[in-house]
Amino acid sequence: ISNQSETIKQVEGASLHVEPIDLFAGEARKFQPFLGTMSGAVKLKYGGTKNNISAKIDLWENGTRTKTYSSIGTSIQYSKTKDYEGEFIASIKAVSLEGSKPLYEITAAFANQNGTSSAITYIDRDSRLNGISTIQLNQSLDVPENKEVAVWGIQATDKNEWETVDFTPERLKTARWALVFKLSVN
């Protein structure tokens, strides 16, 4: 995460504040069986002139970003200054639908005091990649409006060993397979 934070550490003007949170802390622990262990969230704060916060998903295979999936966006409520305070939540589950390849069901949502907007995306799953772990954001970041930031993800492997993966391109190049959620203000 060091390169990511070095890139966006110094922010002038409007920015998106991203803070890691424990999705299942305290009373929320009761929701883990419904969302699954491959779930995560970040707290978001934004005050600026842009209209939307968007999420996309980058797929990394054998150290190369191979595809980007559109995920979801949320509109920022209008006022003299456009302020948003809420959470981005993601959950990934391995599913098998009759007559189709193994899939990942990806649910992504923005939630705030005005409600929740969510979307479900399905992508192909290689069943040989059975070692799976999350990639977590481990520090708060302030992201300029013209930048995107990786906030959560998963990695998978078919090997009996793990590479420690974070959101830097150098570390993602060591991943056998990874999905990385990125947020931006637009």
Side-chain angles (χ1 to χ4, degrees), residues 108-184:
F110 287 96
N112 69 2
Q113 71 277 4
N114 297 323
T116 302
S117 59
S118 65
I120 296 176
T121 304
Y122 292 92
I123 67 167
D124 291 338
R125 174 176 55 95
D126 184 342
S127 57
R128 295 173 295 179
L129 301 174
N130 54 13
I132 301 171
S133 70
T134 60
I135 308 169
Q136 303 284 341
L137 183 66
N138 58 15
Q139 64 184 20
S140 296
L141 299 171
D142 291 307
V143 186
E145 289 179 334
N146 60 345
K147 300 274 185 187
E148 60 183 19
V149 62
V151 296
W152 188 80
I154 66 168
Q155 67 167 324
T157 187
D158 54 356
K159 297 179 181 179
N160 289 330
E161 57 188 38
W162 282 102
E163 287 285 336
T164 302
V165 173
D166 60 30
F167 297 122
T168 61
E170 297 80 18
R171 296 306 301 160
L172 285 169
K173 287 180 181 177
T174 68
R176 167 75 172 86
W177 184 95
L179 286 177
V180 176
F181 288 80
K182 290 184 171 181
L183 300 180
S184 61

Side-chain angles (χ1 to χ4, degrees), residues 39-112:
S39 301
V42 291
K43 183 184 281 190
L44 304 173
K45 288 183 184 178
Y46 173 74
T49 60
K50 301 295 183 176
N51 294 320
N52 297 295
I53 301 174
S54 299
K56 71 177 187 177
I57 307 165
D58 284 344
L59 172 62
W60 288 74
E61 297 175 288
N62 298 312
T64 303
R65 185 176 55 210
T66 57
K67 189 168 185 176
T68 298
Y69 298 92
S70 175
S71 181
I72 188 172
T74 191
S75 181
I76 298 168
Q77 295 299 317
Y78 290 92
S79 64
K80 286 186 178 181
T81 61
K82 297 176 184 174
D83 295 323
Y84 180 87
E85 187 170 338
E87 296 176 355
F88 173 75
I89 305 164
S91 176
I92 300 175
K93 294 181 182 179
V95 296
S96 296
L97 304 176
E98 189 175 328
S100 79
K101 299 180 198 177
L103 300 169
Y104 280 115
E105 178 183 86
I106 302 167
T107 304
F110 287 96
N112 69 2

